[in-house]
Amino acid sequence: EPEVTQTPSHQVTQMGQEVILRCVPISNHLYFYWYRQILGQKVEFLVSFYNNEISEKSEIFDDQFSVERPDGSNFTLKIRSTKLEDSAMYFCASKEEGTSYEQYFGPGTRLTVT
Amino acid sequence: GQNIDQPTEMTATEGAIVQINCTYQTSGFNGLFWYQQHAGEAPTFLSYNVLDGLEEKGRFSSFLSRSKGYSYLLLKELQMKDSASYLCAVRDRRAAGNKLTFGGGTRVLVKP
């Protein structure tokens, strides 16, 4: 069964460093998402992406965050200058076009900022 | 904005039934989802309700009442592997990208 994949599974970085989290959505999906989950807290929406542009973003998704679909398969989340509070599990998700409603989540990248 | 409430934790016995309630407030409802999340893993889709009523899928059923802003997830014939967090999420009609807003999750512990 097709699945969303994410790399790396765990990333440790120092405060102020840039990180890029990578996702490969399911191949025929056209909607892409990033969510995050701080340990012990709820899953929070960050950004949605469709037709090569951001369709919606949350208040969390400030100027330090950016997304890109550099080629036909990858979808990346960049955090320009990481803060301690960016430590969380980051989930990528994707969805088919049209009336399909289910978002398929990847296994997540655990980001630890020290 | 949206507000989604569900109990923090529930305990049940193997073989029993557990009902997880979720109440929500949203100005543009466009579907309610239930996801299962094992510790340290990604959420996996369980069910979707957009019309009132009960949707049954094997041991799991989900109910929706839009007028009451209420849903429940029913887990029958509980198995030890059902110990997980169950996340209620709502989709907003006004959301351009179909984003999901999640509740805090209900951690279900199944005991032998």
Side-chain angles (χ1 to χ4, degrees):
Chain A
E1 187 175 328
E3 56 183 21
V4 177
T5 59
Q6 290 184 242
T7 53
S9 56
H10 191 186
Q11 172 97 45
V12 181
T13 189
Q14 288 191 325
M15 199 166 50
Q17 295 297 304
E18 173 184 286
V19 292
I20 297 176
L21 309 183
R22 301 180 193 280
C23 169
V24 179
I26 295 172
S27 63
N28 64 332
H29 287 191
L30 297 177
Y31 289 86
F32 313 117
Y33 308 84
W34 283 102
Y35 293 84
R36 80 169 185 192
Q37 187 175 31
I38 295 170
L39 188 63
Q41 298 187 22
K42 61 183 173 182
V43 176
E44 301 175 288
F45 168 78
L46 292 178
V47 65
S48 58
F49 191 87
Y50 172 72
N51 201 25
N52 283 319
E53 60 182 22
I54 290 174
S55 44
E56 189 171 7
K57 58 184 180 179
S58 71
E59 293 172 354
I60 303 167
F61 195 89
D62 61 21
D63 292 344
Q64 294 301 311
F65 290 86
S66 62
V67 289
E68 196 176 38
R69 187 151 163 84
D71 53 43
S73 59
N74 290 284
F75 180 53
T76 61
L77 174 70
K78 182 194 289 188
I79 309 175
R80 199 184 343 265
S81 176
T82 50
K83 308 186 195 77
L84 293 176
E85 54 264 37
D86 293 327
S87 294
M89 191 75 132
Y90 287 80
F91 294 109
C92 173
S94 69
K95 189 181 86 68
E96 283 183 280
E97 173 69 281
T99 57
S100 171
Y101 47 80
E102 182 179 345
Q103 292 183 21
Y104 293 79
F105 282 74
T109 293
R110 179 167 298 287
L111 177 65
T112 303
V113 183
T114 60
Chain B
Q2 293 170 322
N3 194 35
I4 301 169
D5 288 312
Q6 49 182 131
T8 308
E9 199 167 287
M10 301 181 75
T11 303
T13 307
E14 193 175 12
I17 298 173
V18 71
Q19 178 175 313
I20 306 168
N21 296 324
C22 171
T23 57
Y24 64 88
Q25 293 170 320
T26 179
S27 44
F29 178 81
N30 192 24
L32 187 141
F33 298 74
W34 285 97
Y35 279 81
Q36 180 191 60
Q37 185 179 31
H38 285 98
E41 297 183 13
T44 54
F45 172 80
L46 290 178
S47 69
Y48 168 70
N49 295 71
V50 67
L51 300 176
D52 291 350
L54 189 68
E55 294 281 340
E56 296 187 83
K57 197 189 279 190
R59 293 190 298 114
F60 294 0
S61 305
S62 57
F63 172 84
L64 175 68
S65 167
R66 288 172 296 170
S67 62
K68 294 181 180 170
Y70 167 70
S71 172
Y72 67 73
L73 179 70
L74 197 68
L75 316 180
K76 296 179 237 180
E77 300 167 22
L78 279 172
Q79 301 174 9
M80 298 299 292
K81 67 178 182 180
D82 297 330
S83 291
S85 285
Y86 292 85
L87 316 182
C88 175
V90 169
R91 186 171 65 183
D92 189 330
R93 182 189 308 130
R94 301 160 309 164
N98 294 283
K99 73 170 187 183
L100 298 178
T101 300
F102 285 85
T106 299
R107 187 161 43 195
V108 171
L109 178 62
V110 181
K111 294 186 171 177

